[in-house]
Amino acid sequence: MSKTALLLIDNQQSFYQRGYSETAETPAFEQKISQLIVGCQQKGIPLIDVFHVEAEGPFSRESGLVERLPFLHHQADKTFYKHVHNALTESGLESWLREQQITEVIISGLRTEQCCETTARVASDLGYNVIYITEATLTFPITHNGVTLSVADLRHHTESVLINRFAKIRTVEQCLQELE
């Protein structure tokens, strides 16, 4: 049994209502997360879908949008629903990971600097070894106080604040090689 699990965070159609669309980064993200999924499947690593849900709107289960993005065709080993930014708090995921004796999590999904980064921080604080695959995460530019941070800026910031503190930053290829 694997001591590692792949967390596929918020890869859901709800984001079509909140900015997920074809961007310059989308094709590379879709290719890399698909490659990561296939590689983990081949290694027997459990695939965990985590979906964000809210009481109403596009993130409500009743909306019909809390479903995998159309390009993803994997069969999840387990699915969890979260109501907060990180995947571990009150979703049931953390207790499931403990029951399965999983000690390492691979982070991927939407959005790089929000739910993925927050999950990495919480997982680290809970004692998990965290592998963060930035290229298998996706985000969108953010403007605040007249300053726009690009996708590259946000990715660089996330990697900078996580590396050697909360997570190992890896490419898909590096991650899969290290799991040999």
Side-chain angles (χ1 to χ4, degrees):
M1 173 187 274
S2 177
K3 299 292 183 203
T4 303
L6 172 59
L7 304 186
L8 298 151
I9 301 169
D10 296 350
N11 296 300
Q12 63 196 75
Q13 295 179 32
S14 309
F15 277 98
Y16 286 130
Q17 304 299 312
R18 288 203 191 148
Y20 180 91
S21 60
E22 194 69 27
T23 67
E25 291 81 10
T26 303
F29 161 72
E30 291 179 357
Q31 189 271 328
K32 289 300 183 178
I33 198 168
S34 296
Q35 180 185 357
L36 180 62
I37 290 167
V38 168
C40 286
Q41 284 175 318
Q42 291 172 346
K43 295 177 183 307
I45 293 170
L47 307 180
I48 312 304
D49 277 336
V50 181
F51 296 111
H52 185 84
V53 294
E54 296 175 356
E56 48 191 51
F59 286 82
S60 70
R61 291 181 77 177
E62 294 75 28
S63 73
L65 297 172
V66 181
E67 298 290 333
R68 241 183 249 120
L69 291 168
F71 73 93
L72 294 171
H73 305 289
H74 64 278
Q75 179 66 31
D77 293 283
K78 198 79 174 156
T79 300
F80 293 92
Y81 298 91
K82 66 183 185 65
H83 301 278
V84 296
H85 296 101
N86 81 81
L88 297 158
T89 302
E90 299 177 3
S91 65
L93 173 58
E94 208 259 327
S95 61
W96 183 85
L97 292 171
R98 299 277 184 218
E99 289 168 10
Q100 304 303 308
Q101 300 178 1
I102 290 172
T103 57
E104 179 173 71
V105 293
I106 303 168
I107 306 288
S108 67
L110 295 174
R111 295 188 48 175
T112 305
E113 79 294 351
Q114 293 181 25
C115 296
C116 293
E117 181 180 325
T118 304
T119 298
R121 289 172 180 265
V122 172
S124 174
D125 283 351
L126 291 171
Y128 293 94
N129 181 36
V130 179
I131 302 170
Y132 195 93
I133 313 297
T134 311
E135 64 185 2
T137 68
L138 183 67
T139 195
F140 310 97
I142 295 175
T143 300
H144 175 68
N145 288 340
V147 176
T148 299
L149 297 177
S150 69
V151 170
D153 293 335
L154 293 165
R155 285 183 169 166
H156 178 76
H157 179 267
T158 293
E159 288 180 350
S160 296
V161 298
L162 291 180
I163 195 166
N164 299 326
R165 294 175 203 80
F166 298 100
K168 292 185 263 182
I169 307 300
R170 298 292 187 261
T171 64
V172 171
E173 291 81 8
Q174 289 168 335
C175 175
L176 295 175
Q177 286 175 357
E178 289 176 11
L179 292 171
E180 292 293 324

